[in-house]
Amino acid sequence: MNRNDHLPQGLEPGLFMYKYKYEDAEAHWFHAHRGIEMLYIYSGRGEIMAENQTYPIRDHTLVWFQPYQLHRVLVPAAEGHSYIRTNLTFDPGFLERYLAAFPLLEKFFRSLWRGSLQRPVVYDMQNTPVAAVLEELHYADNSSAADREENMGLLILQLIRLLQKNMSGVLPGDFNNQSRGGSHAERITGWLDEHYKEPFSLETLAAAMHLSPYHISHLFKDFAGITLSEYVMQRRVREACILLANTSRSVQEIAAEVGGYSPSYFSQMFKKQKGISPEKYRKSIR
């Protein structure tokens, strides 16, 4: 049995970890990563839990975990079945220089990195080139060529492009929409990311956007799939996860910093979204 109740030490900036097509009879994982994790399952039966939602594991399933996203992978032993997968975990900053020339692809990637995913799982990937690119990445990873890192960066870029074509239904709204509504939604998200630590005021946001509160509320829900208040809560919890993982600050200090919460209310909010207390989350990632 493979069991990992604690995350290995974090990735160095700009680096990645790659484990190609490895097999086990069963697996039980409960952790979170500092980097993005992409899991491609060739064969397996079980379930994946992320953000308190459970998804069945099937053959040729692709799973995308955002940084600091707590998840559980459970594959029980079953006669005649094995768990075969490829795992890629990397610092999102690694791709920034490769994405600079591709603004729409960069926008998509940032949505995968920091956006609100409707679900992290994509099924029936066997008819896509994803598995072939992962094999190429394996050979590049084991190469001693001087351009090894560049080749790997370009292959990961190719993977992101394939995900852009095949991850319909994972991201809310239309992340490539260049309409006026899409532009407004991006501006709203930017404002929320800048002011999330402050007490949220729809009227203040509306004044900053020069739009009516009613229009802002409905426009954002249509594009993001969640309400403004839900987005602010998720943004605060995401920041709390980063602080819990990378600092020694107390829960009381973090609660005050991310939203001016009392420790008890913050813990209730955190557990409602993550399924465990802040203290247990900190232990799971270190």
Side-chain angles (χ1 to χ4, degrees):
M1 174 187 300
N2 288 337
R3 186 169 186 84
N4 180 17
D5 291 323
H6 299 280
L7 177 72
Q9 291 302 308
L11 300 173
E12 296 178 32
L15 298 188
F16 44 79
M17 296 183 293
Y18 190 63
K19 197 169 182 181
Y20 178 69
K21 214 166 188 178
Y22 59 112
E23 180 177 357
D24 289 294
E26 58 181 320
H28 302 266
W29 300 92
F30 181 70
H31 60 203
H33 291 282
R34 290 178 172 85
I36 287 173
E37 178 185 3
M38 193 192 81
L39 177 67
Y40 187 90
I41 301 170
Y42 304 87
S43 173
R45 293 292 184 275
E47 66 179 26
I48 288 170
M49 185 188 74
E51 304 299 340
N52 288 327
Q53 297 293 319
T54 302
Y55 307 89
I57 293 174
R58 305 172 189 160
D59 294 350
H60 299 286
T61 293
L62 186 144
V63 193
W64 183 273
F65 296 117
Q66 295 174 313
Y68 304 100
Q69 184 177 38
L70 190 68
H71 54 277
R72 183 192 70 198
V73 178
L74 175 61
V75 180
E79 188 175 353
H81 292 279
S82 59
Y83 179 43
I84 305 173
R85 72 280 194 194
T86 287
N87 185 284
L88 170 66
T89 305
F90 65 97
D91 171 9
F94 172 72
L95 281 187
E96 288 187 334
R97 56 183 164 174
Y98 298 102
L99 287 164
F102 308 102
L104 290 182
L105 192 63
E106 182 181 24
K107 180 180 176 183
F108 170 77
F109 176 70
R110 289 190 179 278
S111 296
L112 287 180
W113 173 6
R114 297 173 174 169
S116 298
L117 304 186
Q118 292 185 330
R119 54 184 172 84
V121 176
V122 186
Y123 296 109
D124 301 320
M125 297 295 288
Q126 64 269 28
N127 295 321
T128 73
V130 168
V133 175
L134 291 174
E135 185 175 8
E136 283 191 68
L137 193 59
H138 169 63
Y139 292 124
D141 187 33
N142 287 281
S143 169
S144 59
D147 59 352
R148 170 184 171 274
E149 183 176 318
E150 182 176 319
N151 287 337
M152 294 195 71
L154 293 174
L155 284 168
I156 295 175
L157 201 68
Q158 189 175 344
L159 272 177
I160 302 303
R161 176 63 176 143
L162 289 171
L163 298 184
Q164 188 181 29
K165 293 181 177 180
N166 291 281
M167 291 184 77
S168 174
V170 171
L171 289 168
D174 183 358
F175 43 79
N176 284 328
N177 196 320
Q178 299 300 303
S179 69
R180 187 175 181 182
S183 176
H184 284 325
E186 287 186 4
R187 290 176 56 226
I188 293 167
T189 301
W191 190 94
L192 293 173
D193 286 341
E194 184 178 351
H195 297 277
Y196 72 91
K197 293 183 180 181
E198 304 166 9
F200 175 65
S201 167
L202 178 56
E203 289 70 25
T204 302
L205 170 59
M209 296 293 108
H210 304 290
L211 298 169
S212 73
Y214 177 86
H215 182 58
I216 280 183
S217 295
H218 284 76
L219 183 152
F220 188 82
K221 179 68 180 293
D222 288 343
F223 275 83
I226 56 176
T227 66
L228 291 161
S229 296
E230 288 170 333
Y231 182 87
V232 171
M233 181 193 70
Q234 290 182 8
R235 182 66 182 84
R236 289 171 174 172
V237 169
R238 187 163 72 243
E239 181 67 16
C241 288
I242 294 171
L243 294 173
L244 286 165
N246 296 294
T247 75
S248 59
R249 295 177 198 172
S250 68
V251 171
Q252 181 177 358
E253 290 172 322
I254 292 173
E257 178 169 342
V258 301
Y261 297 116
S262 69
S264 59
Y265 183 83
F266 168 74
S267 295
Q268 291 174 12
M269 180 186 72
F270 190 96
K271 188 171 183 179
K272 182 178 180 181
Q273 186 169 338
K274 293 296 182 181
I276 62 173
S277 68
E279 293 85 357
K280 288 184 178 179
Y281 177 87
R282 172 171 266 164
K283 292 177 181 178
S284 76
I285 202 168
R286 288 190 163 184

